[in-house]
Amino acid sequence: MTGASGAAVRGGARAFAWRGVAALTVLAAVSMSLPQAAHSADAASGANAADAPIAPAEKLMFLTPHLHGVASQTELDYALVVTVPPNKQTDRVRVFVASADNSKSDASVSDGSGKVQLPENLPCNPVILYFLERDIAEMEQATGGQRRYFQQRVRLALAASPPITDATVQLDGKAVKARKIVIQPYLHDPNAQRFPRFTSKRYTFLLADAVPGGVWLLRTDVPGDNDDFAHPLKTESLSYEGSLRKLQPPAQSKPPSPSATPNAPRASR
């Protein structure tokens, strides 16, 4: 990740601490330069979403204790791959779980740019917020729009109760059950003409209880011409690679002070 992208993630991540997590309020009013009617409609829909019950997709993504069962001092490793054919960039993202089950809410995220500041006291795996805020920062940069606008679209798409379907993933050579969520936040966006390249952009989330940290895959796809997802213009994915427990070395004990041997010979007077 570039320094600019890393700074954008660190600066904007707190806004994804959504309903029922850190703030049960609507995200700030859409600040993109929109017609007043569209601005009011989005603000109203955001207010209605805030008052509605939290959707199952939101619960699964943000209110589930994904790090339950993870031992203290464990590092969860993820591969971040950005593909813009024919080029591909990779990075490694690490979630360090300091306390068992993340009971102290002290899990931290780092990537190639260093540690990333994210909201605290959240039950979910913070790598989810990391991935979404990174995506939001890139949308802002690519379109000239405002971060809060894109946050709003993704939030509303999840609040609209998208289907959660059963899936299967491979973990250590074994098939394990997973749950899949797919959203297209900009598909029916009345302002999508301002960024037509991203109108059909698709977000795919695969979560599995058997995977340490609960997250198997987070992915976005920008399709090619005529919504050709088989030949996407851009794909970004964050996928689980493995876990490593980093046991702390035992504390160094002070060596015993030498003591006189009881039967040692004594100097003569």
Side-chain angles (χ1 to χ4, degrees), residues 229-252:
F229 283 100
H231 302 90
L233 296 177
K234 184 177 183 179
T235 296
E236 298 196 29
S237 66
L238 185 146
S239 57
Y240 174 78
E241 283 198 324
S243 62
L244 172 67
R245 191 171 185 197
K246 295 185 173 182
L247 296 177
Q248 294 179 324
Q252 294 293 329

Side-chain angles (χ1 to χ4, degrees), residues 160-212:
S161 294
I164 300 176
T165 58
D166 293 333
T168 302
V169 300
Q170 293 291 321
L171 178 65
D172 297 330
K174 298 180 180 179
V176 299
K177 294 180 179 179
R179 287 163 289 181
K180 182 178 181 180
I181 301 171
V182 178
I183 58 173
Q184 291 178 282
Y186 313 110
L187 192 59
H188 302 295
D189 185 349
N191 303 291
Q193 72 275 7
R194 294 174 178 265
F195 38 90
R197 175 186 172 191
F198 301 100
T199 301
S200 297
K201 184 176 181 178
R202 184 172 64 193
Y203 294 67
T204 302
F205 312 114
L206 271 168
L207 298 101
D209 294 339
V211 175

